[in-house]
Amino acid sequence: MHHRVSQAMPLGALACLALAFPNVAPASPEADQTARSVYLFTSFQEPADKGLKLLWSDDGRHWERIPGVFLKPWAGRGKLMRDPSVARGPDGRFHMVWTTAWRGDQGFGYAHSEDLVHWSPQRFLPVMEHEPTTVNVWAPELFYDEPRDRFLIAWASTIPGRYPDGEERRDNNHRMYYTATRDFESFTPAELFCEPGFSVIDAVIVPWGRDGGPAYKLVLKDNTRPVLALRVAEGDSPTGPWRNISEPITPFKTEGPSVARVGDEWLVYFDRYGDKEYGALATDDFTNFREAGAEFPEGHKHGTVLRVTQKELDYLKRVGSEQAPGVGQDFVPHLSEEETAARLAEIDRVANAGPFKPNWESLKNFEAPDWYADAKFGLFIHWGAYSVPAFASEWYPRNMYREGSPEYEHHLAAYGPHDQFGYKDFIPQFKAERFDPKEWADLFRQAGVRYVVPVAEHHDGFPMFDSRLTEWDASEKGPQRDVLGDLADACRAEQITVGASSHRAENWWFFGPGRQFESDVQDPTYATLYGPAHDKRVSENQSEPPSEAFLDDWLLRSCEIVDKFEPRVMYFDWWVCQPVFQPYLQRFAAYYYNRAAEAGYGGAINFKEWEGRSFPRGTGVLDVERGKFAEIQPFLWQTCTSVSRNSWGYVEKQDYKPVGEIIDDLVDVVSKNGVMLLNIGPKADGTIPEPEQQMLRDIGRWLEMNGPAIYGTRPWKRFGEGPTEEEGGSFTDAERPEFTGRDLRFTTRGDKVYAIALAWPESGKLVVESLARSAGEFSRVRLLGAEGDLQFEQSEKGITVSLPEEPPTEYAHAFEMTPRASGSDGE
């Protein structure tokens, strides 16, 4: 589980457009968005193989470089990134296209991102493959065409002999082409975009439409030998035809136009490649131009300009400054190459032999098991050697090596220098001497838990079971017992369904900070524990992605959990969203689902949509970490949250949530077609902290009384009603509103409808507006946990229920409504 405090939040989803649509102000949930926005310039540097660079500016004139690289290019044969063009759609997602090669590639690269940091798998879009003699595809420019709700991509290509060469070489006589798309999955056939009668590259569309004039301006480069400069054209459509082409507006040997609306004027940026510097002109009308006096960092090459918030800029600066390339080490596999190959071959055999195949189309045949939809309440368990220091959070193993962090300073004071006492030295102290799996399982049963998901392996690379893939596991070191196996047996004896979670992917970079100063992570003796220890940020920009050997080991470890425990839920933390995992995720999913089908049990994969995408929706059960959806979802989903706000593992200073808050969240999640996975953190000795035991028993007593409104239910026509609104999305549980007696959530089971009040109505009356006569007439209302039926009146305005003087519980209150069609006895 990644810790809230330790992880960067993603960029907020702005419904703003890229500078390709520059006269539209960025929209935002925040009223002062525009006032706090800044300019961002996509960039690259020669030799163009490092990747996406970024500049920023407050005023559009004075530009500074943001440190770091934000996407290493892998697409196309050339594997370059030139001319990166970014546009942002109305959903807030960034889309980027770029030149992948000087010559030979008949298309360009594409990727998308929610935050300009975590990118989708790169794709090569072969837009000119229908023209086999195409020499090149250069400088794709991305434009969001708002009136038509589509994206346009325009680029320059040379097709020898297609147009009169004039003074141009046959292999350098360009014309502009374009394609349109709404989803970046299907594209219109390439069409001619601009034919000015001369060689042309680099064109930027600018919405205009002033004073009855043309709707669009086009800034383009005349690439003929005598000119090599920018001109301006105009048109009534973003796809032309383009007319009234101006005289050159820039000097000889200029290219790469980008345009920004800055105050009441427009700035046209361009590359003075003849002088190896960048320039800008200002204009009010695209007819008269003046020097803008802009300043750029040395080496900047052209891209596009867009607006982002100051918060987004701060995030990008932080990410860039945190990058530390080259700190990692090679992954050291435990098995021989021969044994690894044999095991992988068996995995692939199973993955291809059953009802599922290792591809997303096949895996979308997944259906969430009924047991999962009925269970509603599960228990997550974060327990490992990180419980020994019991400081800050379960991210102590990483943060203790981050110089200057509270964990680093605490470690020095409590344990001494990191090269003398490292994380490995906590493992012998992790004895679990008081661990009694039967006691745990009995407590879970009392808590009303229907499924349990112990962490099988956390980011620290220490499996909590007897693994054949490492000597660093709980059976050989620390507890010296198969902790997960013992717990699974005890839970199954109590009829509690067993799952498991793997956080192995994060081990690629988890101990990376320990490679940057004198610590035991530098000692090759412990490389099999500390792992590759690369830099997280450099891994995420795809410069140092997980190696094939590491990915093979990840797949072996994941399948080992399946084979040993037959988990009904296989939970993955977020970092499997890295594009390099994609083929491995498909192989694992097919293997797991086929094994489950063979053994006759319903299995489900948990995945996240945080800092990227891993499993597509429809191939498993989406998990929303420390958050939830705002509305009913058409698919079963899960929230994972914890009894504590500050840590998933045991620490001495826990910030526990009130039990009522957890129950309210459970009710809300269930009403929206979700299930809750609630986490606890046992101590290093194997005991569950008393406060957490008490919380579980309190929840269990509530469920014993109100279980009919939770277990086995399904969403009603609407999830609820009431004045209090909650924020949807991940990591939204830190602050939550106070509910009132008018805040209700609905579930249904059979013919009954349950209205659950999140607070006791102070008026002595429960008013349910959603259950007016138009929703059906009811013959009986009872309060779960209380004796007898309640008096009520139903009208076209809703149901009004007379309440007893005292509620049966201090938490949420469930009212069971029986329709008249079922009979007045409610049976």
Side-chain angles (χ1 to χ4, degrees), residues 72 150 171 208 283 292 318 333 352 449 467 472 557 593 636:
K72 166 81 172 179
R150 63 178 181 170
D171 64 352
W208 187 250
T283 182
R318 179 162 68 84
N352 285 280
V449 168
S467 172
W472 292 95
R557 292 191 187 218
Y593 289 153
L636 183 70

Side-chain angles (χ1 to χ4, degrees), residues 1-5 7 9 380 382 394-395 458-459 503 506 571-575 607-611 622-629 637-642 647-648 657 677 728-734:
M1 183 66 56
H2 62 290
H3 185 262
R4 179 184 177 87
V5 177
Q7 294 304 300
M9 297 295 287
F380 213 177
H382 276 68
E394 79 290 349
W395 275 59
H458 204 244
H459 316 329
H503 311 242
E506 291 78 1
Y571 175 112
F572 289 108
D573 213 345
W574 89 108
W575 212 70
F607 64 94
K608 301 183 181 182
E609 294 181 351
W610 172 255
E611 295 187 339
L622 173 63
D623 180 85
V624 182
E625 183 173 345
R626 288 192 181 273
K628 46 194 170 181
F629 284 101
W637 59 281
Q638 176 180 273
T639 181
C640 66
T641 189
S642 185
S647 179
W648 294 83
K657 298 177 181 177
L677 184 62
S730 300
F731 301 102
T732 55
D733 69 346

